[in-house]
Amino acid sequence: MSDTDHAGAVREVPETVARLTDGQWHRLHPASPLLRGGIALIAILGVVVSNLRERFVGLFLPRFDEEGDPVDYILSHGIIVQALLVIVGVLLVLITVFYVSWRMHSFRITNEVVEVRSGILFRTNRKARLDRIQGINIVRPFFARLFGAAKMEISQAGHDANVHLAYLGSAAADDLRREILRLASGTRTAARPLSGVASADNLLDRRLGEFLAPELDPDAAPPESVVNLHLGRLIGSILLSEATLFAIAIVVAGTIWITSTGQYYALFFALPSLIGFGGYYVRRFTRSLRYSIAGTPDGVRIGFGLLSTSNETLPPGRIHSVEVSQSVLWRPAGWWQIRVNRASHSSSRGAANQANTTILPVGNLDDARRVLELMLPDLVGEAAVAVIEKGLVSRGNDAFTTSPRRAAWLLPLSWRRNGFLIAGGSLVLRKGAIWRRIIIVPQPRLQSVALSQGPVLRALGLADVHLHTVAGPIRATLEAIDKDAAVGFFGDVAQLAVLAGQSDTSHRWRSGEAEA
């Protein structure tokens, strides 16, 4: 997983991975054209031909009776050979198109970039700078797993900036990701090709081994760093969700209306909606199985999935803000959710079909603490984590600088909890009494800080604080803070942000390692 072990030995990589990272152009998995949409194309053509087969046959055989069956016509007129030749010709055309598409789609990995070029008539070329990689996601759809293939998505900052390698050999995908992250880390320790690796006896054994393999390799991360999603919490979080409340409200309202009006035929129209809700819950449950968050030398690894699997590694320094939140429905159980702001946006969805910004769909307080330590190891120390953990459930009167009593006019329920804290290398904002939230912004990721005052805030001697990071679901704002405290916080944050930015080396997080 890492370039060197604790003794300083050079890390060995499979010979296939060493070949793919030699800076030369290589081609993707041979089944890539089919997996990228070729199967769907064949299925669509099959449906079209099946529905319009009489008209298609009539184009080539003018004497064909449109009311007859094409198969009967071919058999009765003895033109089986000609029909087979037409079918073979169509197949040859499709195979040729797929082959040319595969030949024209290539990639290379150098010490600086991952580059992909593709297209037959219109050529495209995309590059991902290694020092700007925000994360690498490996998705193994169920059908692709049958071919031993996996899709790699290299996330970059910016809109539609990601680079896709679809598809690669599944067996080499994880090792290739580690090697790309090794190059991105800036380490000068060279990896050594590992030859003579034993492989499975046959294709069936390899595929079976891939399907039965655990979602997280036991050697990928220390066991104490792994956070798993508890099955009971998963089921409970699905039941105690806003979607469930909405579904129950719709069912109750629909039942009352049908009972009072006697319009029982409406049940037939409600059936598709019920099937849709059922499918949503089944997908959410199956995708969240085998969910794990682990700390590796290359960053935080998030994996999930049963039939179709997905796992992503976020290198150090790619998380711009973190939000730990708790809905009122989860308060009795003590469950929390963790989301992040990232500079990139993955095309794949999370385990609960949410955006890939949700790192921990549901967990208890201990899970939240461990995930924070994994995501911000250098910026949230043990003491800071203890303060944050206490602050999650505190009602006030702690280490946080909170809103004054006069802020109760604007925040009648949460003014005692509403506050800020500088902890370790991070800025912490706390808000909400019914819907609890804590927002953590690493100082090196802060882009700017601002204060604002409207006429009401000015009259009450209050101000709002805004910590600006990359766009995402988290807005690091804090309302109704004492004006003098906000000005002091503004000055401290501005100074700390400059110092943190000057000393930040997270874009090349192992650049100090010496060459072996």
Side-chain angles (χ1 to χ4, degrees), residues 395-409:
R395 297 183 178 180
N397 298 321
D398 52 17
F400 283 77
T401 300
T402 57
S403 299
R405 180 178 293 275
R406 60 184 180 276
W409 291 98

PDB file of all heavy atoms in Angstrom, residues 395-409:
ATOM      1  N   ARG A 395     -24.679  21.634  25.497  1.00  0.00           N
ATOM      2  CA  ARG A 395     -25.697  22.677  25.389  1.00  0.00           C
ATOM      3  C   ARG A 395     -25.098  24.067  25.540  1.00  0.00           C
ATOM      4  O   ARG A 395     -25.836  25.065  25.546  1.00  0.00           O
ATOM      5  CB  ARG A 395     -26.775  22.467  26.442  1.00  0.00           C
ATOM      6  CG  ARG A 395     -27.541  21.164  26.283  1.00  0.00           C
ATOM      7  CD  ARG A 395     -28.646  21.051  27.305  1.00  0.00           C
ATOM      8  NE  ARG A 395     -29.419  19.822  27.132  1.00  0.00           N
ATOM      9  CZ  ARG A 395     -30.449  19.468  27.902  1.00  0.00           C
ATOM     10  NH1 ARG A 395     -30.829  20.270  28.909  1.00  0.00           N
ATOM     11  NH2 ARG A 395     -31.092  18.339  27.695  1.00  0.00           N
ATOM     12  N   GLY A 396     -23.796  24.160  25.663  1.00  0.00           N
ATOM     13  CA  GLY A 396     -23.124  25.444  25.838  1.00  0.00           C
ATOM     14  C   GLY A 396     -22.255  25.413  27.073  1.00  0.00           C
ATOM     15  O   GLY A 396     -22.030  24.368  27.690  1.00  0.00           O
ATOM     16  N   ASN A 397     -21.714  26.588  27.435  1.00  0.00           N
ATOM     17  CA  ASN A 397     -20.849  26.707  28.610  1.00  0.00           C
ATOM     18  C   ASN A 397     -19.650  25.768  28.519  1.00  0.00           C
ATOM     19  O   ASN A 397     -19.347  25.020  29.458  1.00  0.00           O
ATOM     20  CB  ASN A 397     -21.646  26.425  29.898  1.00  0.00           C
ATOM     21  CG  ASN A 397     -22.778  27.407  30.110  1.00  0.00           C
ATOM     22  OD1 ASN A 397     -22.635  28.597  29.833  1.00  0.00           O
ATOM     23  ND2 ASN A 397     -23.919  26.906  30.577  1.00  0.00           N
ATOM     24  N   ASP A 398     -18.961  25.808  27.393  1.00  0.00           N
ATOM     25  CA  ASP A 398     -17.782  24.979  27.202  1.00  0.00           C
ATOM     26  C   ASP A 398     -16.706  25.804  26.525  1.00  0.00           C
ATOM     27  O   ASP A 398     -16.686  27.032  26.655  1.00  0.00           O
ATOM     28  CB  ASP A 398     -18.132  23.712  26.399  1.00  0.00           C
ATOM     29  CG  ASP A 398     -18.877  24.009  25.101  1.00  0.00           C
ATOM     30  OD1 ASP A 398     -18.845  25.183  24.669  1.00  0.00           O
ATOM     31  OD2 ASP A 398     -19.488  23.096  24.526  1.00  0.00           O
ATOM     32  N   ALA A 399     -15.804  25.132  25.786  1.00  0.00           N
ATOM     33  CA  ALA A 399     -14.663  25.829  25.183  1.00  0.00           C
ATOM     34  C   ALA A 399     -15.062  26.737  24.023  1.00  0.00           C
ATOM     35  O   ALA A 399     -14.262  27.569  23.582  1.00  0.00           O
ATOM     36  CB  ALA A 399     -13.631  24.803  24.715  1.00  0.00           C
ATOM     37  N   PHE A 400     -16.266  26.603  23.502  1.00  0.00           N
ATOM     38  CA  PHE A 400     -16.701  27.419  22.374  1.00  0.00           C
ATOM     39  C   PHE A 400     -17.049  28.836  22.825  1.00  0.00           C
ATOM     40  O   PHE A 400     -17.591  29.042  23.927  1.00  0.00           O
ATOM     41  CB  PHE A 400     -17.931  26.800  21.705  1.00  0.00           C
ATOM     42  CG  PHE A 400     -17.626  25.619  20.831  1.00  0.00           C
ATOM     43  CD1 PHE A 400     -17.363  24.375  21.383  1.00  0.00           C
ATOM     44  CD2 PHE A 400     -17.588  25.750  19.453  1.00  0.00           C
ATOM     45  CE1 PHE A 400     -17.085  23.291  20.582  1.00  0.00           C
ATOM     46  CE2 PHE A 400     -17.315  24.669  18.642  1.00  0.00           C
ATOM     47  CZ  PHE A 400     -17.057  23.430  19.207  1.00  0.00           C
ATOM     48  N   THR A 401     -16.749  29.797  21.988  1.00  0.00           N
ATOM     49  CA  THR A 401     -17.211  31.177  22.194  1.00  0.00           C
ATOM     50  C   THR A 401     -18.598  31.280  21.577  1.00  0.00           C
ATOM     51  O   THR A 401     -18.748  31.198  20.356  1.00  0.00           O
ATOM     52  CB  THR A 401     -16.251  32.174  21.523  1.00  0.00           C
ATOM     53  OG1 THR A 401     -14.945  32.039  22.096  1.00  0.00           O
ATOM     54  CG2 THR A 401     -16.744  33.601  21.720  1.00  0.00           C
ATOM     55  N   THR A 402     -19.602  31.452  22.395  1.00  0.00           N
ATOM     56  CA  THR A 402     -20.988  31.361  21.925  1.00  0.00           C
ATOM     57  C   THR A 402     -21.635  32.740  21.815  1.00  0.00           C
ATOM     58  O   THR A 402     -21.073  33.764  22.230  1.00  0.00           O
ATOM     59  CB  THR A 402     -21.813  30.481  22.881  1.00  0.00           C
ATOM     60  OG1 THR A 402     -21.736  31.017  24.203  1.00  0.00           O
ATOM     61  CG2 THR A 402     -21.274  29.067  22.892  1.00  0.00           C
ATOM     62  N   SER A 403     -22.831  32.744  21.247  1.00  0.00           N
ATOM     63  CA  SER A 403     -23.578  33.991  21.076  1.00  0.00           C
ATOM     64  C   SER A 403     -24.010  34.537  22.432  1.00  0.00           C
ATOM     65  O   SER A 403     -24.277  33.780  23.369  1.00  0.00           O
ATOM     66  CB  SER A 403     -24.819  33.742  20.207  1.00  0.00           C
ATOM     67  OG  SER A 403     -24.447  33.289  18.929  1.00  0.00           O
ATOM     68  N   PRO A 404     -24.088  35.872  22.566  1.00  0.00           N
ATOM     69  CA  PRO A 404     -24.572  36.464  23.818  1.00  0.00           C
ATOM     70  C   PRO A 404     -26.089  36.278  23.966  1.00  0.00           C
ATOM     71  O   PRO A 404     -26.781  35.906  23.022  1.00  0.00           O
ATOM     72  CB  PRO A 404     -24.198  37.940  23.659  1.00  0.00           C
ATOM     73  CG  PRO A 404     -24.201  38.163  22.179  1.00  0.00           C
ATOM     74  CD  PRO A 404     -23.705  36.885  21.573  1.00  0.00           C
ATOM     75  N   ARG A 405     -26.580  36.580  25.151  1.00  0.00           N
ATOM     76  CA  ARG A 405     -28.002  36.377  25.433  1.00  0.00           C
ATOM     77  C   ARG A 405     -28.900  37.195  24.515  1.00  0.00           C
ATOM     78  O   ARG A 405     -29.996  36.763  24.153  1.00  0.00           O
ATOM     79  CB  ARG A 405     -28.286  36.706  26.905  1.00  0.00           C
ATOM     80  CG  ARG A 405     -29.751  36.538  27.314  1.00  0.00           C
ATOM     81  CD  ARG A 405     -29.933  36.827  28.782  1.00  0.00           C
ATOM     82  NE  ARG A 405     -29.279  35.825  29.595  1.00  0.00           N
ATOM     83  CZ  ARG A 405     -29.829  34.659  29.943  1.00  0.00           C
ATOM     84  NH1 ARG A 405     -31.063  34.365  29.527  1.00  0.00           N
ATOM     85  NH2 ARG A 405     -29.177  33.807  30.689  1.00  0.00           N
ATOM     86  N   ARG A 406     -28.446  38.366  24.119  1.00  0.00           N
ATOM     87  CA  ARG A 406     -29.291  39.205  23.264  1.00  0.00           C
ATOM     88  C   ARG A 406     -29.521  38.577  21.882  1.00  0.00           C
ATOM     89  O   ARG A 406     -30.431  38.985  21.152  1.00  0.00           O
ATOM     90  CB  ARG A 406     -28.678  40.587  23.100  1.00  0.00           C
ATOM     91  CG  ARG A 406     -27.289  40.603  22.475  1.00  0.00           C
ATOM     92  CD  ARG A 406     -26.733  42.025  22.436  1.00  0.00           C
ATOM     93  NE  ARG A 406     -25.400  42.101  21.833  1.00  0.00           N
ATOM     94  CZ  ARG A 406     -24.267  41.875  22.496  1.00  0.00           C
ATOM     95  NH1 ARG A 406     -24.317  41.575  23.796  1.00  0.00           N
ATOM     96  NH2 ARG A 406     -23.102  41.971  21.886  1.00  0.00           N
ATOM     97  N   ALA A 407     -28.711  37.555  21.525  1.00  0.00           N
ATOM     98  CA  ALA A 407     -28.919  36.859  20.250  1.00  0.00           C
ATOM     99  C   ALA A 407     -30.145  35.958  20.293  1.00  0.00           C
ATOM    100  O   ALA A 407     -30.567  35.434  19.256  1.00  0.00           O
ATOM    101  CB  ALA A 407     -27.689  36.033  19.884  1.00  0.00           C
ATOM    102  N   ALA A 408     -30.732  35.781  21.488  1.00  0.00           N
ATOM    103  CA  ALA A 408     -31.925  34.939  21.608  1.00  0.00           C
ATOM    104  C   ALA A 408     -33.092  35.500  20.810  1.00  0.00           C
ATOM    105  O   ALA A 408     -34.031  34.761  20.466  1.00  0.00           O
ATOM    106  CB  ALA A 408     -32.312  34.790  23.078  1.00  0.00           C
ATOM    107  N   TRP A 409     -33.061  36.828  20.509  1.00  0.00           N
ATOM    108  CA  TRP A 409     -34.114  37.386  19.663  1.00  0.00           C
ATOM    109  C   TRP A 409     -34.087  36.767  18.266  1.00  0.00           C
ATOM    110  O   TRP A 409     -35.132  36.664  17.611  1.00  0.00           O
ATOM    111  CB  TRP A 409     -33.924  38.906  19.548  1.00  0.00           C
ATOM    112  CG  TRP A 409     -34.201  39.638  20.822  1.00  0.00           C
ATOM    113  CD1 TRP A 409     -33.293  40.074  21.745  1.00  0.00           C
ATOM    114  CD2 TRP A 409     -35.481  40.007  21.332  1.00  0.00           C
ATOM    115  NE1 TRP A 409     -33.914  40.698  22.799  1.00  0.00           N
ATOM    116  CE2 TRP A 409     -35.280  40.674  22.563  1.00  0.00           C
ATOM    117  CE3 TRP A 409     -36.799  39.860  20.875  1.00  0.00           C
ATOM    118  CZ2 TRP A 409     -36.317  41.184  23.340  1.00  0.00           C
ATOM    119  CZ3 TRP A 409     -37.842  40.367  21.641  1.00  0.00           C
ATOM    120  CH2 TRP A 409     -37.602  41.009  22.854  1.00  0.00           C
TER     121      TRP A 409
END
